[in-house]
Amino acid sequence: MGKGVRVSERFAEGDLVGVLTTEPLGRPLDYKAPAGGCTAGDLVEVPLGPRRVLGCVWGKGEGNFDIHRVRPVTRVLDAAPLRDEMRTFLQRAADYTLTPLPQMLRLATRAPDLGAGPATRRVLRATGREPARETEARLRVMDALDTFGGAWVTAGELAAEAGVSTAVIKGLVKAGVLAEEDAPRDLPYPRLNPNLPSKDLSDGQAEAAAALAAAVATGDYGTTLLKGVTGSGKTEVYLEAVAECLRQGRQALVLLPEIALTAGFLDRVEARFGAKPAEWHSGVTSTERRRLWRMIGVGEAQLVVGARSALFLPFRELGLIVVDEEHDTSYKQEEGVLYNARDMAVLRASICGAQVVLASATPALETWVNADSGKYRRLDLTARFGAAELPEMRAIDMRAEKLASNRWISETLARQVEARIAAGEQALLFLNRRGYAPVTICRACGHQVGCTECDARMVEHRFLKRLVCHQCGATRPVPEACPACSVEGKMAAVGPGVERLAEEVAERFPGARVSVLSSDLFGTARALKEAIETIAAGGADIIIGTQIVAKGHNFPLLTLVGVIDADLGLQGSDLRAAERTFQLMRQVAGRAGRADKPGVALLQTHQPEHPVIRAILTGNEEDFWRAEAAERRMAGAPPYGRMAGIVLSHPDVAVVFDFAGELARRDGPLRAIGAQIYGPAPAPIARVRGRHRVRLLVKAERGTPFQAALAEWAGQLKLPANLRLAIDIDPQSFL
Ligand code: ADP
Ligand code: ZN
């Protein structure tokens, strides 16, 4: 057994135990241990009022409740207990994010049917026989079966994935194409073999891999920044850390920022270890989720690849967490429990004695600073693997380009695109704006169409033939007449989105095969994955994409990246505007020239002399981070100072402002730690779904009891009915 594993406290029948439930009660409640006793960490069912609810034995009971009214635990569930290490993690994560503990427990028990014991269920498998009569629906079923890749699947799940009725499935069973059988509900995952040969690593890769493996072999906590340019083979390198972890008999977790990236990753794991790992994300069926949750607890899933919530799985013996593309903003959960998976990974690892690998070509400034100060180890991969070279980066000065109105592709860029198509290569046009046009304006009165429920302009989506609010998702048809002045036929689209850019591309490059990649254009993760595979196989000449194309995809034929508006992210006063633009531009440029042909990235900009644009072009990354870090230090901003964003919302604007004002006045607990409070001010998006939003910002120095002060401060006032208050520690978004 590894470090940090202690023997949990044992309770005999009738002993008082504190049980934490997932109900919003704030603290553990007293119960009596059931017949046979129980152990701290056991998952149990307890009576709560007239109901029975899920809970976890948290420790000794408090004994401050009338002993005659204390009821016994109904039963101990047949599931692996939450270990001491896991409970400590949940407690510390709750304290850090100022989240009530029951909500943390809910995150950690998000699998169906935890109460049900092992049982069997009817599952399907392909017999290998071809359907005699091939209908479209049947083909879809066979396709869907493929995507489950041999995982157990029920008729219901298969029908849902294929989008057919269960009658189609039954038909296939009758025809002998599918066979039904009884399977135990939760099967262990196939064993991964860490001793299969790895790829031949370059010297630089081998050195980094050996350093990571050595760190894992210590069995202690440590965090390493694996900084490698795009295409340097970071994945190959950290898979060697995974291999060492598996050899130690411990479990590994790899977090990816985007579900669409998992398919490619699963294949690489299979190539390296001989079998696919377990998957945990929103696209996984609930049967598989339950299986994974249970297998993780007994150590029968060695490697999990997942989204940020996989951090809350009850690993039996976690030895390594890899956070791939660690700078990615999707690691910050912005709803419900507000947490940053990267930071929580470090917290969890430090508690259970595991290693963390943060992999990125463009690390978050926080991570760079931690590596710079020696808190994290740092390993660098400075060259692309094999013959691939880093793309050359240049600016196109848009002040010198003549563009017709409603055109966004400069002559210079267009000529480059033509040259690539002629050479049988691919070009990517990057524009980080979904939809057709960001603004719909009335040419008669100047009115801009906004959402009725939100303080946001509605974005035209021509594929949907509707206007869409990107805040609340409300849609409506594009009006014929202006909603303000009623003049007809004057509504006009202003500015470009990817759909509009696609129109320009179609006119400009007739005959070119165009693929638009934007998160809203794909109903399912699978459809997006297919589009990405088609592109990688050469099925498109021009790719138009939003930021989803910037994330880790490999398009071997892609040799040109054209950024339509490199200035877009630099507008606005966001603390991280420079950092984000730098990361996004370098990442998207990194898609070019990943195979043997060199790539070029061209940035259309109106301010080529802007320091951030210059840093992007020259690639003097260390200079850029050093300058950014110096600025943050001067401003006392993160990571040099602490910050919390407070968002209050209510349907009545007066109620929310009054309350926020009162809270700001009662700043004693904050002043006591030298913290400052800014606001209240209307949030940049001042209304969402009919709720008015007000922000406060609290800043403090490092090393102060920040969370405790915030909790005391916010706890002074009772919330008016229907008022929501969210405290966001280390905020990423200021909207
Ligand atoms: P990164 O994550 O750093 O962008 P990847 O790990 O995705 O890089 O590697 C980029 C490409 O190079 C992938 O197709 C990968 O399979 C290939 N590659 C990297 N290292 C090796 C190696 N040692 N042997 C063979 N192929 C490699
Ligand atoms: Zn809206």
Side-chain angles (χ1 to χ4, degrees), residues 199-202 205 228-236 268 324-325 381 385 552 554 591 594:
K199 291 203 166 118
D200 282 332
L201 300 183
S202 69
Q205 289 178 334
V229 297
T230 50
S232 57
K234 291 184 288 296
T235 313
E236 305 300 335
R268 289 172 80 165
D324 202 353
E325 310 287 356
L381 298 172
F385 177 73
N554 239 327
R591 296 313 110 211
R594 286 174 71 93

Side-chain angles (χ1 to χ4, degrees), residues 13-32:
E13 178 174 0
D15 285 356
L16 266 193
V17 293
V19 174
L20 182 72
T21 71
T22 54
E23 306 298 309
L25 299 163
R27 59 190 173 77
L29 300 179
D30 280 2
Y31 287 90
K32 285 180 190 145

Side-chain angles (χ1 to χ4, degrees), residues 451-454 456 469 471-474 689:
C451 176
T452 55
E453 297 305 307
C454 307
C469 170
Q471 296 308 317
C472 71
R689 292 188 178 91

Side-chain angles (χ1 to χ4, degrees), residues 343-573:
D343 301 341
M344 291 302 115
V346 171
L347 175 63
R348 181 151 193 195
S350 71
I351 294 168
C352 69
Q355 288 286 317
V356 178
V357 175
L358 305 177
S360 175
T362 54
L365 187 78
E366 277 84 352
T367 304
W368 184 89
V369 167
N370 280 330
D372 194 51
S373 70
K375 200 168 151 196
Y376 296 168
R377 197 179 309 112
R378 170 168 169 170
L379 297 169
D380 280 82
L381 298 172
T382 50
R384 280 193 160 176
F385 177 73
E389 280 176 35
L390 280 173
E392 183 192 333
M393 300 188 70
R394 290 198 301 265
I396 295 176
D397 188 344
M398 295 303 278
R399 296 168 303 194
E401 298 277 339
K402 294 201 176 40
L403 275 185
S405 66
N406 293 339
R407 288 290 177 272
W408 290 275
I409 303 170
S410 66
E411 208 35 57
T412 311
L413 180 55
R415 276 199 306 273
Q416 292 289 328
V417 173
E418 268 155 17
R420 302 294 150 163
I421 299 176
E425 297 165 14
Q426 290 174 328
L428 164 68
L429 298 179
F430 176 76
L431 176 65
N432 203 10
R433 257 195 190 141
R434 293 183 284 138
Y436 183 81
V439 182
T440 303
I441 195 170
C442 168
R443 292 249 182 259
C445 75
H447 173 76
Q448 302 184 358
V449 183
C451 176
T452 55
E453 297 305 307
C454 307
D455 173 33
R457 290 184 292 221
M458 294 196 92
V459 177
E460 183 178 348
H461 285 245
R462 212 154 265 197
F463 289 154
L464 297 174
K465 300 195 175 63
R466 294 180 82 81
L467 296 175
V468 178
C469 170
H470 284 183
Q471 296 308 317
C472 71
T475 75
R476 65 163 119 148
V478 182
E480 265 303 309
C482 173
C485 71
S486 305
V487 174
E488 287 196 18
K490 288 285 184 186
M491 301 310 290
V494 179
V498 282
E499 295 176 14
R500 197 172 197 183
L501 192 63
E503 248 176 41
E504 183 178 351
V505 164
E507 278 171 36
R508 189 89 202 221
F509 311 101
R513 295 165 307 160
V514 181
S515 179
V516 183
L517 285 184
S518 173
S519 56
D520 56 312
L521 297 178
F522 297 92
T524 63
R526 185 157 144 252
L528 175 60
K529 184 189 123 200
E530 272 165 21
I532 287 168
E533 279 166 4
T534 307
I535 292 170
D541 303 310
I542 302 177
I543 303 139
I544 296 172
T546 61
Q547 57 157 0
I548 58 169
V549 298
K551 301 186 188 195
H553 301 292
N554 239 327
F555 300 133
L557 293 172
L558 183 70
T559 52
L560 172 70
V561 168
V563 175
I564 297 300
D565 187 353
D567 308 332
L568 196 58
L570 289 174
Q571 299 148 6
S573 57

